[in-house]
Amino acid sequence: MTRHRLLARQIKKHLSSVPDQSALEAFLAAVNEAYEQHERDRKLLERSIDLSSEELGARYQESQDQLHALRETQLALENSYSLLHASLNSIHEALLVVTLEGTIELHNANLLDMFDVAPGTPFKQIQEVLDALLPQIEDPACLKSAIEDALNTPEQEQQTEIKTISGHFIEAYSSPRRIEEHLAGVVWTFRDVTELKVKEEEARHRAYHDQLTGLPNRRLLSARLSQALKSAREHKLQTAVLFIDLDGFKDVNDSMGHAIGDALLREVADRLESCLPTGTLLSRHGGDEFIALMEKQSTSRQAREFSQAILTAFQIPFHLGEENIYMSASIGIALGDCHEDSARLISQADMAMYQAKQKGKNTYEFYTPTNDSHSAHRLRIRNQLNIALEHNQFELFFQPKVCLDSGSIRGAEALIRWQPEPGEFRSPLEFIPIAEESGQIIPISQWVIERCCQHLKDWREDLDDDFVLALNISAKHFQRGQLQEDMAQAISQTGVNPAKLELEVTETAIMDDLDLAVSTLMALKKLGIRTAIDDFGTGHSSLSYLRKLPIEILKIDKSFIDEILTSREDRTLVKGIIDMVHALDIEVVAEGVENHQMAELLKNMGCDLVQGFHYCKPISEREFVQLLKTRQCYI
C-alpha cells in the first residue's frame, strides 16, 4: 500500500506539466484502484491458504485418529481370535460348524483327537469330515444319517450316540446357527461320555446285583419275573420259581465266623450256577436264600429235574481252606400261570420251601394251595371299590418332605387311604393292584387330583411360598393320554397355583413309552406343574434317559436307603446318584429315612429333601394342617 502511494506521487510530480490534469487524476485513481484490488486479492489468497492449511491439518489428524482406531480394532480382533482359538481347544467338547451348503467354517482340535484323526488334518467340505470320521465309528450310517438330516432340516436339532472302534461313547448334538434370524448353518457338538457310561454301568450293576456273590438281586429278579409272567400270558405257558434255602447255614456263621460264611455263600452260588438249565436266572434273595426263575415251562418236569440236580450237587462237600463243609438245601417250587403276579408267586415258592423243611429238609416241594379263594377275593375288592368311590370312603393322608439344610417343611406327599368303616383302614397294597388291573384306578386318581387341589386352596393362608404337594399318578392314568386334561380341569375349578403341584410317576410308567412320556411331561410343564420320578432304582435305573425328561425331582427308592449305614456299596451308589442327578439340575428326595444318622449321612451327601418315619409318619389332613400352622422345624 505504501509503495503504490509513493508511485502515485512520483507520477504526479513528473507529469505535473500535463495540461489535462483531470485525465491525470483519473489515471492516478485507476492506478490506486488497481493496487488496492491487488492488495485485496492478496489478502483473500492468504486467507484461503490459511484455511486450507487448517483443513488439511484437521483432516490429517482425523486420518491419524482413524488409523489409531483401526489398529486398536485389529488388536482387539487378534485378541478375540486368540481367546476363541484357546477356548475352542481347551473345552472338552469337539465342535464343527457347517454352512447350509456343506462348507466347513470352523472345527477345533478336539474333533480330530476324539475320532483319532491325524492332527492338523484340514477340512473344507462336510464330505471330507465324513471321510475322516466314519471309518472310526462302529456304526457309520448313524452319524452320516444324522449329519445329512441336520443339513436338510437345519432348524430341527439332531441327537445321536456314537461308539468308536476304540470303544469310546460319544454323544453328538446339532443346533441351528443363525445370523440376524436367518439360518446360516449347523453347529455340531460332540461330547465323550465314556466315563459317564462306565459309571452308569457300574451303578446299574450294583443296583441289580448282589455285592457278595455277583448274582442278580431282588430288584433284577422282580423285573425279570414280571417280564416272564407277561410272556407266559402271551404264550399260554407257565413260569417256575424255585425258592432255595440252605439248611443249617446259621450254624456255620455262628461257629466259623462271617468270613467263612461269606466264602461259603460264594461257593454255593458257583455250584448252583453250574446246575442251571439254559435260560434260567439265579438270584440271591438275601442271607442264605436263593431264587431260580425258569421261564416258558409247559410242565413241571424241568423244575423237578433242576431241583434234584441241586440236591445231588450238594452231596459233595464245599472245600474252604482246610475245612470240608457239608450243606444241604430245602427247595420250594411254585408254578405261575397267566393269573399270577410276581410277589404272589415268590410267596408261594417260599411257603413250599417251608413245607420242604417241615418234611425233614434236603428235599423239594411244590406249592399246593389248600383252597383257591384268590379270585373271589379280587372280585370282592373290585365291587367294594365302586362302593368306596360312591360313598366317599377314601381319605388322603400326608407325609411331610423336609429340607435337610433348613429343617423346614418344603412339601408333602399325598397318600390315599381306604376307610370302609370308621376306624378301619385297608392297605393300598391290597386294593391298588386290583384297581390298576380293573381300570378303577383312573377314577380313583381323578379323585386324588381333585382333593389335592381343593386342599391346596383350603391351606392357602398357611403355606410357605416354596411348599409343593406331591401326588402319585398311576401308570395307566399317565399312559392313557387324559392326565393333562384332568389336571387342567382341577386347577381351573379351584384356582390353585399349578407350581404347588408335583406329580410322582414311576420309572416303569415312563419307560413303557418314552416318547409318550416326554410329550405328556412337556404338556404338564407348560401347565406349570412339577414332575418327579418316583421309586428311582426299581425300574430301568438309567441315568442317561433323565436328561431327555423335563423333570424337576428324582426320588431315590427306600430300598437304596435302608442299608446306607451298614453297606459301603449302597452309600457309594446313593452318593453317585445324587451327584449325577444334581449335574442335570434335578433335586433329589430320599424316601424311608428312619433315624437321625441316616438324615445326617444324606445331608453330607448333598441330598436336598427327605421323608420318612424319623420325621413324621403319614398323618390325617387335620393333623397336617396343625403341623403347617405351627411352622414345625426339624432341626
Side-chain angles (χ1 to χ4, degrees):
M1 179 66 72
T2 303
R3 287 195 304 268
H4 91 262
R5 285 176 179 168
L6 291 174
L7 178 62
R9 282 199 296 270
Q10 291 297 321
I11 293 173
K12 191 174 183 180
K13 178 182 179 181
H14 291 288
L15 298 180
S16 56
S17 58
V18 174
D20 190 353
Q21 287 296 312
S22 61
L24 178 60
E25 289 295 330
F27 171 72
L28 291 175
V31 170
N32 184 60
E33 177 62 26
Y35 268 97
E36 287 181 353
Q37 183 62 43
H38 169 73
E39 188 67 19
R40 287 195 297 271
D41 291 344
R42 182 184 62 78
K43 289 180 178 181
L44 182 61
L45 179 60
E46 288 177 352
R47 191 178 299 111
S48 298
I49 292 173
D50 289 342
L51 290 173
S52 297
S53 177
E54 290 176 3
E55 183 179 354
L56 287 173
R59 290 183 179 179
Y60 173 77
Q61 186 60 46
E62 183 180 353
S63 299
Q64 289 295 105
D65 292 343
Q66 290 176 348
L67 181 59
H68 180 70
L70 287 172
R71 286 173 179 169
E72 287 187 341
T73 302
Q74 181 181 7
L75 288 173
L77 288 172
E78 289 175 353
N79 186 52
S80 297
Y81 177 79
S82 175
L83 288 173
L84 176 61
H85 186 268
S87 299
L88 288 176
N89 290 315
S90 63
I91 60 175
H92 295 295
E93 287 81 6
L95 295 176
L96 178 67
V97 182
V98 192
T99 67
L100 296 177
E101 293 75 27
T103 301
I104 305 303
E105 289 190 310
L106 178 70
H107 69 84
N108 63 354
N110 282 357
L111 182 70
L112 306 178
D113 182 61
M114 194 173 288
F115 289 93
D116 293 325
V117 178
T121 301
F123 294 136
K124 294 183 178 179
Q125 296 294 324
I126 191 62
Q127 187 58 49
E128 297 172 1
V129 176
L130 293 174
D131 292 343
L133 269 54
L134 296 185
Q136 309 298 325
I137 299 172
E138 284 192 358
D139 183 11
C142 180
L143 178 61
K144 185 174 186 292
S145 174
I147 288 179
E148 290 174 350
D149 289 345
L151 289 176
N152 290 331
T153 55
E155 68 281 358
Q156 295 181 2
E157 295 183 354
Q158 300 292 327
Q159 176 182 328
T160 188
E161 187 174 283
I162 306 160
K163 186 178 181 183
T164 67
I165 57 176
S166 61
H168 285 260
F169 291 92
I170 296 170
E171 288 183 345
Y173 307 89
S174 79
S175 57
R177 176 171 176 259
R178 300 180 184 276
I179 298 177
E180 295 182 352
E181 301 302 319
H182 296 290
L183 277 172
V186 177
V187 178
W188 278 97
T189 304
F190 300 86
R191 184 162 65 103
D192 192 325
V193 294
T194 306
E195 185 177 348
L196 178 62
K197 284 282 185 182
V198 170
K199 287 182 178 179
E200 185 178 303
E201 186 57 37
E202 290 174 351
R204 184 185 293 110
H205 189 273
R206 286 195 297 268
Y208 284 101
H209 291 82
D210 174 56
Q211 300 302 309
L212 178 64
T213 63
L215 293 175
N217 61 12
R218 290 188 185 198
R219 298 182 190 113
L220 182 53
L221 172 68
S222 177
R224 282 287 300 274
L225 182 52
S226 297
Q227 294 172 2
L229 289 171
K230 181 179 179 181
S231 177
R233 284 192 288 270
E234 294 172 353
H235 297 91
K236 294 182 170 34
L237 293 172
Q238 291 182 315
T239 300
V241 170
L242 282 68
F243 201 112
I244 307 161
D245 184 87
L246 302 183
D247 299 326
F249 177 76
K250 185 177 184 297
D251 295 334
V252 176
N253 255 349
D254 292 345
S255 61
M256 305 180 72
H258 289 283
I260 295 296
D262 288 348
L264 177 59
L265 288 173
R266 285 191 288 267
E267 291 292 324
V268 167
D270 290 342
R271 190 167 297 185
L272 288 173
E273 283 191 302
S274 69
C275 304
L276 285 180
T278 303
T280 301
L281 174 76
L282 178 67
S283 69
R284 185 183 176 205
H285 197 59
D288 61 345
E289 299 172 340
F290 298 83
I291 291 181
L293 168 62
M294 305 178 73
E295 301 183 44
K296 298 179 181 177
Q297 304 294 298
S298 56
T299 68
S300 63
R301 180 181 60 82
Q302 194 171 18
R304 190 185 304 273
E305 291 175 351
F306 178 33
S307 299
Q308 188 57 56
I310 293 172
L311 299 179
T312 302
F314 274 45
Q315 293 175 3
I316 302 172
F318 292 89
H319 302 285
L320 296 174
E322 298 180 357
E323 298 288 341
N324 285 335
I325 301 175
Y326 286 87
M327 293 297 298
S328 64
S330 298
I331 305 170
I333 308 169
L335 295 172
D337 56 21
C338 59
H339 302 293
E340 302 296 343
D341 59 63
S342 56
R344 181 173 175 80
L345 196 56
I346 291 174
S347 176
Q348 290 175 349
D350 189 15
M351 287 188 282
M353 183 271 294
Y354 278 103
Q355 293 173 9
K357 284 192 179 291
Q358 290 172 357
K359 291 190 176 182
K361 304 178 181 178
N362 194 29
T363 187
Y364 62 86
E365 283 290 324
F366 282 87
Y367 172 74
T368 53
T370 55
N371 56 67
D372 189 11
S373 61
H374 184 57
S375 297
H377 173 71
R378 295 172 72 84
L379 178 60
R380 187 164 57 253
I381 291 292
R382 285 200 296 269
N383 292 334
Q384 290 174 346
L385 283 174
N386 289 329
I387 297 173
L389 282 167
E390 292 174 6
H391 292 82
N392 200 28
Q393 294 177 354
F394 292 117
E395 183 178 347
L396 291 181
F397 275 47
F398 303 91
Q399 186 173 39
K401 292 182 182 179
V402 177
C403 174
L404 282 172
D405 286 335
S406 66
S408 62
I409 296 176
R410 277 268 305 277
E413 179 179 3
L415 302 164
I416 192 169
R417 297 291 184 264
W418 179 15
Q419 189 177 20
E421 300 291 341
E424 175 192 344
F425 286 98
R426 303 184 75 161
S427 169
L429 295 176
E430 180 183 5
F431 66 86
I432 290 296
I434 297 174
E436 289 271 5
E437 181 183 281
S438 66
Q440 292 167 300
I441 195 66
I442 301 298
I444 291 175
S445 291
Q446 291 169 333
W447 179 87
V448 170
I449 291 169
E450 292 168 3
R451 291 305 303 154
C452 283
C453 288
Q454 187 60 49
H455 282 314
L456 282 174
K457 181 180 179 181
D458 296 340
W459 302 342
R460 189 172 296 171
E461 300 300 322
D462 299 312
L463 298 181
D464 291 331
D465 291 340
D466 57 359
F467 182 91
V468 177
L469 181 60
L471 55 147
N472 294 280
I473 292 300
S474 154
K476 282 197 172 182
H477 199 177
F478 186 78
Q479 296 162 354
R480 196 160 177 171
Q482 70 181 84
L483 177 59
Q484 309 93 301
E485 182 180 340
D486 291 340
M487 293 299 304
Q489 182 176 347
I491 291 169
S492 174
Q493 289 175 348
T494 56
V496 299
N497 180 0
K500 290 195 172 296
L501 283 168
E502 179 180 296
L503 301 187
E504 296 187 359
V505 188
T506 63
E507 284 184 280
T508 304
I510 287 175
M511 296 309 294
D512 281 348
D513 190 336
L514 187 57
D515 291 337
L516 173 63
V518 171
S519 63
T520 302
L521 293 174
M522 287 300 296
L524 292 170
K525 193 176 185 73
K526 288 180 179 178
L527 288 175
I529 300 168
R530 292 158 53 96
T531 51
I533 300 295
D534 193 16
D535 299 335
F536 181 79
T538 60
H540 294 257
S541 298
S542 172
L543 290 165
S544 62
Y545 76 82
L546 290 180
R547 60 179 173 75
K548 303 176 184 177
L549 302 174
I551 63 169
E552 288 79 20
I553 296 286
L554 180 139
K555 297 187 72 174
I556 302 178
D557 186 62
K558 181 179 183 297
S559 61
F560 285 86
I561 305 299
D562 286 341
E563 304 297 328
I564 58 171
L565 293 179
T566 57
S567 169
R568 181 177 60 83
E569 290 81 6
D570 280 4
R571 286 196 297 274
T572 302
L573 179 59
V574 170
K575 174 62 173 166
I577 291 174
I578 291 173
D579 289 344
M580 285 189 276
V581 170
H582 276 170
L584 298 173
D585 200 25
I586 297 173
E587 275 193 313
V588 179
V589 178
E591 299 180 286
V593 177
E594 307 296 338
N595 54 57
H596 179 70
Q597 291 81 5
M598 278 185 174
E600 282 297 309
L601 180 56
L602 287 164
K603 181 178 180 180
N604 293 334
M605 288 181 177
C607 185
D608 302 295
L609 305 174
V610 289
Q611 65 183 96
F613 277 38
H614 172 57
Y615 296 98
C616 185
K617 66 179 182 180
I619 55 179
S620 67
E621 192 237 349
R622 180 182 57 80
E623 295 172 297
F624 185 69
V625 170
Q626 188 60 35
L627 204 64
L628 291 174
K629 290 180 181 293
T630 59
R631 291 295 190 268
Q632 176 72 44
C633 182
Y634 290 94
I635 289 184

